[in-house]
Amino acid sequence: MRVARENNLAIVGRGAGTGLSGGAIARAGGMIVSFARMNRILEIDIENERALVEPGVVNLDISLAVEPFGYFSRARSVEPAAPARLAAMYAENAGGPHTLAHGVTTNHVVSLEVVLPDLTVAHSARTSWMCPATTCPDC
């Protein structure tokens, strides 16, 4: 972020490159930042239906982590999204074939912590993302 700021460069985050819309392509003079190594699931809180993850977590990995508790993430219902990274899915507001029933990615994000171009850290808040498998049998 500091290099981009000092050189007035736009930043484009890159996940796994599985998107079809070219969201991970930087404009001329931009910088691509890969989240591939920021891939840890830091906490799973089943009681409150929350998970704390880094932006490079693979969609299928979070689904497998919550599956023993009767939950799933979008990876099970949208197989092409299985290798996608969560930050990229959020940035693209990924949907897929079950969007009408379960919403798009931004409907399933509780909060974000982001570093802004001026290097300050900002927080946002949203609603729950996990869905009990018992209420979504068609997924």
Side-chain angles (χ1 to χ4, degrees):
M1 292 299 291
R2 186 169 285 113
V3 170
R5 179 183 162 97
E6 290 170 358
N7 293 285
N8 198 30
L9 298 173
I11 291 185
V12 175
R14 179 174 172 82
T18 59
L20 302 175
S21 66
I25 298 173
R27 298 175 116 185
M31 175 188 285
I32 295 175
V33 177
S34 172
F35 293 115
R37 294 192 332 198
M38 294 179 70
N39 60 2
R40 295 179 300 155
I41 298 171
L42 303 173
E43 177 184 345
I44 294 177
D45 178 357
I46 293 299
E47 182 177 339
N48 292 303
E49 298 183 327
R50 305 287 188 263
L52 178 61
V53 300
E54 292 180 339
V57 167
V58 174
N59 191 20
L60 182 59
D61 291 345
I62 190 67
S63 194
L64 294 173
V66 298
E67 190 173 58
F69 305 102
Y71 286 85
F72 69 93
S73 77
R74 300 173 54 78
R76 288 291 193 231
S77 62
V78 188
E79 288 305 324
R85 298 191 187 270
L86 297 182
M89 290 178 64
Y90 183 84
E92 289 289 317
N93 201 20
H98 295 283
T99 298
L100 291 177
H102 305 293
V104 291
T105 301
T106 56
N107 298 130
H108 302 278
V109 174
V110 175
S111 66
L112 297 173
E113 179 181 276
V114 297
V115 178
L116 300 174
D118 67 358
L119 305 180
T120 60
V121 177
H123 297 88
S124 68
R126 301 247 180 196
T127 58
S128 177
W129 65 269
M130 289 195 279
C131 177
T134 56
T135 63
C136 304
D138 62 328
C139 295

